[in-house]
Amino acid sequence: MFIGTGGTVLPDAISSLSGEAGAGDDILVSAFLLNIALILFGWRRYKDLSNEVDERAAAEQRAHSLAITDPLTGLLNRRTIGEKTSDLTDEAQRKHKSVAFLMLDLDNFKNINDVHGHSAGDVVLKQVATRIAGLLPAKNLLARLGGDEFACAFVFDPEQPEMVERIADDLIDSIAAPILENGTHLVVTTSIGMSRYEPETADVEALMRHADIAMYSAKKQGRNRHCWFDEIMEKELQTRNSLETEMRAGIPKGEFVPYYEQQIDLATGKLTGFEMLCRWESRTQGLISPEIFIPIAEETGMIGDLSLSVLRQSFENARHWDPSLTISVNISPIQLLDPWLAQKIVKLLVETGFPPNRLEIEITESSLFENLSLAQSIIGSLKNQGIKIALDDFGTGYSSLAHLRALPFDRIKIDRSFVTSILLNPESKAIVKAITGLGESLGMAITAEGIEDKDTESELRTIGCAKGQGWYYGRPLSIEQTRAVLAERNLLPAKQVDVITVPQTEAPAPVSMEDRQQKAG
């Protein structure tokens, strides 16, 4: 109709526009022109709406992509891997296959970011993602879970689990290959935890959790390796988590207490002081070795509070002992990363009234590798307060002489591994002699750890070691047993001697061999 009307009106419209039409035709011409305008407007609006729909669809697609993928690597993300793995297991079951789930965590990736910057870290992550993708079977899922953690899943023949191990070996070798970035070779390794889908459990969450537990076990075993999940691992983890919970409650309750190992002047047999060791007197499990709880404290960040709590008790215990007696305290490598450590120790000394010149801080060589400059600052601050510094476990590190030159140590402690074998191993004896001679030339006193019999003591005395400690002089003592020993030697004030009615020189209930290997301050 519009076309027919247009054919009649169009000539009048042209005449009207040229000023030649009659007045009676204006209304019809205006209506015609209005229709044209409405058609043009409608068409434009249609195009705009079509563009909006296309843009919205594209935006929704981008949002969906961002929701399911990692923006850096383009891999699936943590939110998506579970759902996709569930689909994969359903398909594998229909084909009478199984699914392997691998959790990968890069070892020491933080060092890449710290030393070379986050841009270099991003390069490493993208390259690792490419390497992993290139080694997986055709039917696979690959995700970056966040940080330096990846996960992958793929179908395999349940009768051939060695195929999964081969892939894990290839992943370890490939990831360890250097990555060239701006002329620098960046190297990372990976720890891999592996689990397999079991139809009887039919739980993807368990599959992923088991792989994560196995990965944690691979880390504990030395890193740069793979490990299959075993139910024992989950029980161990549950036990560890239970211990962690009890530790958090036990620190403020005073369950962690100081024990004291005697230090003897080898020339005179005189008691010169004690090394303070930490013990956990759990209200539910009894006496627990530091070999069990110290690693948990370090991993969870509790080591600082735990150590300061035990230090305070030790200072309060020892401040009224004979002034000739010193207290040696071993500092965890994790604590040595705390820039406020020196101030915290000095604050404790002021609050308890324990003289700084009776305190000796022991630092292991391994703790110096992480941040030598910070260690120098902490040690310098402690030395300025009159506190003595000892290098513990000397001879087991990689740059002992450099550390002796770089840091103002007052004492060298010979590692027990050399002392216990001194009578049987000529090399151990030679090392002990060399360390003793080095200490004399540098003006540093020597303490030998791990003395367990009279013959070893005699040999060390002949060599020239000044001080010794070990089970030959008694096992670590509780505060009550320590006071009894001091009372016998008249090294306590009279008011403290009076309250001790039955001296006890024997050690507490049996202590395991773990006490020989783990010391904590």
Side-chain angles (χ1 to χ4, degrees):
M1 183 179 70
F2 175 76
I3 295 174
T5 304
T8 304
V9 177
L10 183 59
D12 293 337
I14 295 174
S15 298
S16 176
L17 292 173
S18 62
E20 299 177 356
D25 299 326
D26 288 347
I27 295 175
L28 188 59
V29 170
S30 297
F32 174 71
L33 294 176
L34 179 60
N35 281 327
I36 292 176
L38 288 173
I39 290 172
L40 293 174
F41 176 79
W43 175 254
R44 183 174 179 179
R45 182 57 181 159
Y46 169 76
K47 292 294 293 183
D48 289 343
L49 288 173
S50 296
N51 291 335
E52 288 179 13
V53 170
D54 292 341
E55 290 175 0
R56 178 172 295 181
E60 289 176 352
Q61 180 62 35
R62 288 195 299 271
H64 176 70
S65 177
L66 290 173
I68 67 172
T69 61
D70 168 54
L72 177 64
T73 62
L75 304 179
L76 297 176
N77 61 20
R78 180 183 293 274
R79 295 169 56 185
T80 314
I81 188 66
E83 177 184 346
K84 298 292 185 181
T85 302
S86 181
D87 295 339
L88 192 64
T89 56
D90 290 343
E91 181 179 344
Q93 267 193 301
R94 289 194 298 270
K95 297 179 179 179
H96 305 289
K97 301 289 186 180
S98 186
V99 171
F101 193 95
L102 276 60
M103 193 78 73
L104 300 86
D105 189 86
L106 302 185
D107 303 322
N108 299 318
F109 176 75
K110 182 177 180 295
N111 292 341
I112 299 291
N113 284 333
D114 292 345
V115 176
H116 303 285
H118 288 275
S119 59
D122 289 346
V123 170
V124 170
L125 291 173
K126 288 189 284 189
Q127 183 61 43
V128 167
T130 300
R131 292 179 179 182
I132 297 173
L135 291 171
L136 296 180
K139 195 68 175 179
N140 72 77
L141 299 172
L142 177 56
R144 179 186 173 215
L145 304 184
D148 59 349
E149 194 172 38
F150 297 83
C152 59
F154 53 85
V155 176
F156 74 101
D157 186 340
E159 302 298 324
Q160 297 179 331
E162 62 274 6
M163 173 260 204
V164 181
E165 296 177 2
R166 284 197 303 270
I167 291 175
D169 285 332
D170 291 343
L171 288 171
I172 289 172
D173 293 340
S174 177
I175 291 173
I179 298 171
L180 185 62
E181 169 65 10
N182 291 331
T184 302
H185 286 87
L186 307 177
V187 179
V188 292
T189 59
T190 186
S191 299
I192 303 177
M194 306 183 298
S195 64
R196 57 186 292 172
Y197 178 77
E198 301 292 349
E200 58 270 16
T201 58
D203 186 349
V204 172
E205 288 295 328
L207 182 72
M208 299 171 65
R209 186 179 71 254
H210 291 168
D212 193 48
I213 293 172
M215 184 271 291
Y216 179 80
S217 179
K219 290 273 189 186
K220 287 179 61 179
Q221 293 177 31
R223 305 183 178 184
N224 195 31
R225 65 192 64 210
H226 60 74
C227 184
W228 278 106
F229 169 77
D230 187 282
E231 290 184 357
I232 296 176
M233 297 177 186
E234 189 163 26
K235 294 178 181 178
E236 290 176 348
L237 183 61
Q238 291 171 351
T239 300
R240 180 196 176 281
N241 291 339
S242 175
L243 287 172
E244 179 183 340
T245 300
E246 291 189 33
M247 287 176 64
R248 292 190 185 280
I251 293 174
K253 292 179 180 178
E255 293 183 10
F256 294 85
V257 297
Y259 271 52
Y260 300 93
E261 182 174 348
Q262 300 178 56
Q263 295 178 327
I264 305 296
D265 185 318
L266 296 181
T268 64
K270 180 182 177 181
L271 177 65
T272 62
F274 299 89
E275 178 174 356
M276 189 273 285
L277 308 173
C278 182
R279 295 293 182 269
W280 182 9
E281 294 181 343
S282 170
R283 300 183 183 182
T284 59
Q285 303 184 53
L287 192 65
I288 299 178
S289 166
E291 189 174 61
I292 296 175
F293 66 80
I294 290 297
I296 298 176
E298 292 180 335
E299 292 168 10
T300 58
M302 288 189 281
I303 188 65
D305 291 341
L306 188 156
S307 179
L308 292 176
S309 171
V310 180
L311 276 175
R312 178 181 292 277
Q313 296 176 61
S314 179
F315 293 162
E316 291 174 345
N317 290 339
R319 63 181 173 180
H320 296 306
W321 296 352
D322 190 276
S324 66
L325 298 175
T326 61
I327 293 293
S328 298
V329 178
N330 190 281
I331 294 298
S332 163
I334 302 299
Q335 290 178 270
L336 211 57
L337 298 177
D338 179 4
W340 298 101
L341 176 63
Q343 289 84 343
K344 292 176 181 178
I345 293 176
V346 172
K347 182 174 182 288
L348 283 182
L349 291 171
V350 172
E351 292 175 350
T352 59
F354 188 79
N357 64 340
R358 290 176 55 199
L359 175 62
E360 184 174 85
I361 298 294
E362 298 181 6
I363 298 172
T364 59
E365 283 188 273
S366 59
S367 66
L368 301 176
F369 295 123
E370 189 74 21
N371 193 329
L372 182 58
S373 60
L374 179 57
Q376 288 175 315
S377 175
I378 292 173
I379 291 173
S381 298
L382 294 172
K383 289 278 292 183
N384 289 338
Q385 299 298 322
I387 299 169
K388 296 180 176 60
I389 309 296
L391 181 58
D392 196 16
D393 297 340
F394 186 82
T396 60
Y398 298 100
S399 55
S400 304
L401 297 179
H403 290 149
L404 288 178
R405 183 179 62 181
L407 298 166
F409 291 105
D410 300 287
R411 180 179 299 277
I412 298 173
K413 299 193 74 173
I414 305 175
D415 185 69
R416 66 182 64 244
S417 62
F418 302 120
V419 175
T420 55
S421 59
I422 192 173
L423 298 177
L424 303 174
N425 190 329
E427 292 180 355
S428 295
K429 182 176 180 179
I431 290 173
V432 172
K433 282 185 176 181
I435 295 174
T436 302
L438 179 64
E440 290 178 355
S441 64
L442 296 175
M444 298 181 186
I446 302 294
T447 295
E449 300 180 283
I451 301 175
E452 298 184 357
D453 54 66
K454 185 172 181 60
D455 292 339
T456 300
E457 181 194 51
S458 300
E459 188 66 32
L460 290 168
R461 187 184 300 115
T462 301
I463 291 174
C465 287
K467 187 186 290 188
Q469 64 184 81
W471 284 13
Y472 176 60
Y473 308 107
R475 295 184 179 185
L477 306 172
S478 67
I479 180 58
E480 293 79 11
Q481 294 162 334
T482 302
R483 285 177 178 149
V485 169
L486 295 177
E488 289 179 345
R489 302 191 182 204
N490 296 318
L491 295 174
L492 279 181
K495 63 179 181 180
Q496 290 197 25
V497 174
D498 290 343
V499 301
I500 299 175
T501 57
V502 182
Q504 301 178 33
T505 58
E506 293 298 321
V511 181
S512 70
M513 288 294 290
E514 296 162 343
D515 290 328
R516 301 171 182 258
Q517 301 171 348
Q518 180 66 45
K519 299 184 294 183

